[in-house]
Amino acid sequence: MPLLRCNSQLCCNFATVKHDVEMQKLRFLFCALCLMAGGINLLAQDSTAQQRLSGYVMTEMNYGHRHGQAHPTLTDFPHILANATLALGKGWSAVAEVEYERFRDEGAWGDNFRNDYTTNKLYINKKWNGALNVKAGIIDIPVGTTNSGGPALTIYDPLSESTLMPMSWHEGGAAVWGRINRVHYEVGAYVYATAPLKDSRVFGTAVRVGCEPLKGLDLSLSGFYSCSKEGLEQHESTSLMDYDHIYHAAFDFAYLANGWTIDRQLIASNAQDCKAAGLEAGYDVAAWLGLPSCSIIPFTRYDGYFHFNNVFCNKWTAGLNTSLPLGFTFKAEAAWMNPSNTNHTTMVDISIGWQHEF
């Protein structure tokens, strides 16, 4: 699987088209549910009630060079991510996240909109209290650090996680989630939707449980199990199409305090007995220098995967991740990777971006 967060179709055309049609049905259905929930709550609220919209928009341009390859340059433009949460009142909210990312790789631009665009989230959520929430729609699958919204200092998704799992992993379904003191949890079930509706079925489940024993430290266990050849993961990876039952198990921790960003991932899958590990550490020197409007984080990272298509690989990365005034960002990194089935590769990537919260 590729390192980049793109939606390249690796399965046969028939399966891809079928899956896209099903996802379009889900998007339409849950858009309608969001609008219905919003309308009901608008009618139920007092005229003085205020609707609250919050979220963020991010865009960036990346340029990379892979030494020794026939087409060494990689350009990523534009990459746009937009996330919004609309508070509907009485504990109801609607959440949407869309992403578009276009690459120039192997000497050509990928201009297939269906491959470049994805709806990462589109769901309604009902909150009774901090310990009990229910969401339904196109929901995230929080397995591992990146898919659960944890820290990642590299420009692209960490190799250890993106090799074994889809990134920005999402499916149609429902989940119960919440937090009780220092413990947080999420339990989700995911649906294969088709017509007629009586043929629809639950095809997978996921669980994530974590705790915060110290301020800024999160320790989490997560897992995913699928009992059919449906879903984003099966349709993106030809290496998994021979498996009727897939599971992933992950342990990850993240420490975000006192200027430090430290996180680690350990991942295992029954498919081909794959395993992966990642570890990164960075320190915000801007906090040490007393610059509250900036973050300047030099970091190092290790990623490795083992037994993936009988290939072993280690990757070491050193880089700089900065957030500047007015929402601008600058990232740069150099990496060395040595897959067991080919020559080692050195690479350099630079990213310039902008982000805004509202």
Side-chain angles (χ1 to χ4, degrees), residues 19-287:
H19 183 254
D20 287 344
V21 170
E22 290 158 0
M23 291 305 294
Q24 290 293 339
K25 293 177 183 176
L26 280 173
R27 292 184 184 113
F28 176 80
L29 173 61
F30 294 123
C31 277
L33 288 174
C34 289
L35 293 173
M36 184 183 300
I40 291 173
N41 282 276
L42 283 172
L43 293 175
Q45 290 175 354
D46 296 334
S47 59
T48 57
Q50 296 292 320
Q51 294 298 296
R52 297 182 58 192
L53 179 66
S54 61
Y56 61 88
V57 176
M58 181 276 291
T59 182
E60 63 181 353
M61 177 182 68
N62 306 326
Y63 175 83
H65 182 87
R66 277 76 179 121
H67 178 72
Q69 297 188 4
H71 299 280
T73 61
L74 172 71
T75 307
D76 174 5
F77 178 80
H79 181 196
I80 303 170
L81 179 69
N83 180 291
T85 299
L86 177 63
L88 302 171
K90 297 183 184 268
W92 289 91
S93 59
V95 177
E97 181 178 282
V98 297
E99 185 172 9
Y100 179 84
E101 189 167 17
R102 173 174 172 259
F103 289 97
R104 178 179 171 85
D105 193 15
E106 298 294 333
W109 284 102
D111 287 323
N112 187 322
F113 181 82
R114 187 180 67 190
N115 293 345
D116 298 338
Y117 168 84
T118 183
T119 302
N120 294 332
K121 301 175 186 177
L122 183 59
Y123 62 82
I124 54 175
N125 186 84
K126 170 61 177 176
K127 177 179 179 180
W128 283 272
N129 51 55
L132 181 58
N133 294 256
V134 176
K135 58 184 177 181
I138 299 176
I139 60 176
D140 50 308
I141 299 183
V143 179
T145 298
T146 305
N147 283 323
S148 61
L153 296 173
T154 54
I155 293 175
Y156 293 113
D157 295 319
L159 181 68
S160 54
E161 293 188 305
S162 63
T163 300
L164 269 63
M165 303 180 294
M167 295 288 93
S168 301
W169 197 355
H170 57 273
E171 299 286 356
V176 180
W177 63 280
R179 175 181 291 272
I180 304 172
N181 297 324
R182 294 185 177 184
V183 177
H184 57 87
Y185 74 94
E186 181 167 336
V187 180
Y190 312 103
V191 179
Y192 167 69
T194 187
L197 289 177
K198 65 182 180 64
D199 292 334
S200 300
R201 61 186 181 274
V202 174
F203 74 86
T205 60
V207 177
R208 183 176 180 85
V209 179
C211 67
E212 297 180 359
L214 301 173
K215 183 178 179 181
L217 175 64
D218 181 272
L219 307 173
S220 293
L221 288 169
S222 55
F224 171 82
Y225 173 75
S226 174
C227 54
S228 74
K229 294 183 179 181
E230 305 299 338
L232 183 65
E233 180 184 48
Q234 293 275 21
H235 286 271
E236 282 198 350
S237 178
T238 54
S239 64
L240 300 180
M241 295 188 72
D242 293 333
Y243 293 84
D244 291 324
H245 300 273
I246 298 291
Y247 73 76
H248 296 295
F251 166 75
D252 57 88
F253 78 78
Y255 178 72
L256 302 172
N258 303 314
W260 287 99
T261 298
I262 304 173
D263 58 88
R264 181 167 189 176
Q265 305 79 36
L266 297 172
I267 309 153
S269 172
N270 70 314
Q272 305 175 26
D273 193 29
C274 300
K275 296 178 177 64
L279 173 65
E280 73 178 355
Y283 182 74
D284 186 359
V285 297

